[in-house]
Amino acid sequence: MTAHAELAARYGTPLYVYDLDRVQAARRDLFASLPEEFALFYAIKANPHPEVVRAMREGGGRACRAEISSTGELAVALAAGFSGADCLYTGPGKTTGELHEAIAKGVRTFSVESVTDLRRIGSVASAHGVVADCLLRINSVSASATTSIRMTGTPSQFGIDSETLATVLPELTGVPGTRIAGAHLFPLSNARDEDSLIAEFQNTIAVAARLQEEIGVPMDFVDIGGGFSAPYAVPGQRPRYTKLRTELEAALDTHFPRWREGTPEFACESGRYLAGDCGELLAEVVNIKESRGRKFVILDAGINTFGGMSGLGRLLPPAVRLTHPAGDAEETASLVGPLCTPGDVIGREIKVPPLKIGDIVAVPNAGAYGVTSSLLMFLGRPAPTEITVRGGEIVSVSRLEHQRAYGAVAAG
């Protein structure tokens, strides 16, 4: 019996296992791929488990900062040892209530998506007697990569359209309680390959330089986003970006000659790359049935456990392996979950090892966008157990619980 199979026997399934040594290895690898002067934000949305988040700053070497988009993620960051000053608060719909909480807890850097977003931040900052550093998130009209998930160049709730920036900049720079500190550009997610990633970053750096030179956007801090790829729910290794550091340094030398002195300071951000390969999801085969010539393997883990977007076809197809030794034989089946909805599909007509009721299967590279991006409360099934390990030893065992609160509930 393998170690993970033993954990499944002991704690039941569905079960996530996160290896904290792999979290820190990913952190080291990504920092090594970036210029020494770069900061790196961990996007907590990828996996907000407290031990995973803590591993982004502990264990020696360069520490990540935290990118957050809610007061819940802020609470996780603070509990993991980050300070409010370590956090970059992002998102297009920041409420007055959450801004009061964030600023009261020391957050001073915000990504700004619109003029009204900036005004709200300024109003709350002024009420606290502080000034918030604001990065203008730019929805650039230009882009380099044509693959991957595009985050710019189209109409979007994210960012200020670059072609309107010259017109609105005077209004942006005059908002009490705020200081325009730089720019935030996030053009894509999950770049196809290193050349695509480099080309996108080169374009992003050039865009930031033009905004400074032609429009006069202050540039003390520039977050050029992410796009670092990692296998999701299939076997494979994280890529190693062997050319990225040199190419970034060359682009920055061209467009920002004083960047090595910290003028401006640069940062990247990542969630998938940093957390993706630390996790494995274990599930039990609870039933197998035939329907009109097709085989359905029913697991105790569905879209309430593994990425709620899977039911919409966004994360298909995964790969599963048996946790006990198996040969090379394969068959075709649809992997489905236990929920009472036809949308509870993990993989349609995919290759799987021959399975029987009671088998434990493992989904690899499931450390990012797992539990908290799932339809966790749908149909009232309990959340999966989450275990963290380090050096083969269990660090923590936990499970999220949802309880309804009656009475006065504070508005956000």
Side-chain angles (χ1 to χ4, degrees), residues 202-277:
Q202 288 170 334
N203 183 70
T204 295
I205 291 166
V207 168
R210 286 198 301 272
L211 293 176
Q212 181 183 48
E213 295 164 6
E214 298 175 7
I215 302 177
V217 176
M219 290 289 175
D220 295 328
F221 191 99
V222 182
D223 181 344
I224 63 174
F228 308 102
S229 67
Y232 186 87
V234 294
Q237 301 294 318
R238 284 182 290 102
R240 300 295 192 271
Y241 295 116
T242 59
K243 301 182 293 184
L244 179 59
R245 181 171 185 162
T246 299
E247 295 292 342
L248 280 175
E249 290 173 343
L252 292 168
D253 286 340
T254 298
H255 294 288
F256 292 94
R258 296 183 58 200
W259 74 274
R260 296 175 191 270
E261 304 166 21
T263 308
E265 182 181 359
F266 279 86
C268 286
E269 56 194 87
S270 176
R272 182 194 311 264
Y273 187 94
L274 290 170
D277 79 345

Side-chain angles (χ1 to χ4, degrees), residues 87-106:
C87 298
L88 169 63
Y89 205 116
T90 69
K94 309 175 194 71
T95 68
T96 298
E98 67 188 74
L99 287 171
H100 274 293
E101 183 173 345
I103 289 174
K105 291 181 177 178

Side-chain angles (χ1 to χ4, degrees), residues 77-409:
L78 296 176
F82 290 95
S83 69
D86 294 325
C87 298
L88 169 63
Y89 205 116
T90 69
K94 309 175 194 71
T95 68
T96 298
E98 67 188 74
L99 287 171
H100 274 293
E101 183 173 345
I103 289 174
K105 291 181 177 178
V107 179
R108 293 294 181 269
T109 307
F110 296 85
S111 176
V112 172
E113 310 274 2
S114 62
V115 174
T116 48
D117 190 26
L118 182 67
R119 288 175 181 159
R120 181 176 284 116
I121 293 168
S123 175
V124 175
S126 295
H128 286 261
V130 301
V131 174
D133 284 335
C134 296
L135 307 180
L136 302 181
R137 180 161 179 175
I138 307 300
N139 181 8
S140 176
V141 73
S142 64
S144 173
T146 57
T147 60
S148 310
I149 302 173
R150 292 239 48 87
M151 298 289 289
T152 192
T154 61
S156 174
Q157 72 269 41
F158 298 110
I160 301 166
D161 294 342
S162 59
E163 64 272 25
T164 69
L165 192 55
T167 302
V168 301
L169 186 61
E171 187 176 2
L172 292 167
T173 55
V175 176
T178 68
R179 181 181 78 93
I180 304 303
H184 180 197
L185 300 102
F186 199 107
L188 86 165
S189 177
N190 202 27
R192 178 184 61 184
D193 51 40
E194 184 171 19
D195 288 340
S196 297
L197 182 66
I198 288 170
E200 197 63 61
F201 280 149
Q202 288 170 334
N203 183 70
T204 295
I205 291 166
V207 168
R210 286 198 301 272
L211 293 176
Q212 181 183 48
E213 295 164 6
E214 298 175 7
I215 302 177
V217 176
M219 290 289 175
D220 295 328
F221 191 99
V222 182
D223 181 344
I224 63 174
F228 308 102
S229 67
Y232 186 87
V234 294
Q237 301 294 318
R238 284 182 290 102
R240 300 295 192 271
Y241 295 116
T242 59
K243 301 182 293 184
L244 179 59
R245 181 171 185 162
T246 299
E247 295 292 342
L248 280 175
E249 290 173 343
L252 292 168
D253 286 340
T254 298
H255 294 288
F256 292 94
R258 296 183 58 200
W259 74 274
R260 296 175 191 270
E261 304 166 21
T263 308
E265 182 181 359
F266 279 86
C268 286
E269 56 194 87
S270 176
R272 182 194 311 264
Y273 187 94
L274 290 170
D277 79 345
C278 81
E280 191 165 63
L281 169 63
L282 307 180
E284 182 178 353
V285 177
V286 296
N287 201 5
I288 297 175
K289 64 166 290 188
E290 298 274 350
S291 177
R292 294 175 176 157
R294 291 176 56 190
K295 176 175 283 191
F296 291 83
V297 176
I298 302 168
L299 306 177
D300 62 359
I303 57 175
N304 61 319
T305 298
F306 178 57
M309 291 186 292
S310 61
L312 304 178
R314 289 288 300 276
L315 303 179
L316 301 175
V320 298
R321 64 171 178 81
L322 285 163
T323 57
H324 58 76
D328 297 328
E330 289 184 324
E331 61 184 12
T332 299
S334 291
L335 290 179
V336 300
L339 305 185
C340 190
T341 170
D344 191 14
V345 179
I346 301 300
R348 292 183 178 89
E349 293 291 284
I350 64 174
K351 295 295 184 183
V352 298
L355 298 171
K356 63 182 186 298
I357 294 173
D359 277 341
I360 303 298
V361 299
V363 180
N365 290 315
Y369 301 108
V371 176
T372 55
S373 68
S374 303
L375 302 179
L376 196 56
M377 294 185 67
F378 189 42
L379 289 177
R381 298 181 73 89
T385 301
E386 297 173 274
I387 294 177
T388 60
V389 299
R390 179 182 287 113
E393 300 295 325
I394 294 175
V395 175
S396 68
V397 180
S398 64
R399 184 167 67 191
L400 290 170
E401 300 286 353
H402 292 279
Q403 294 181 325
R404 186 176 301 277
Y406 288 92
V409 178

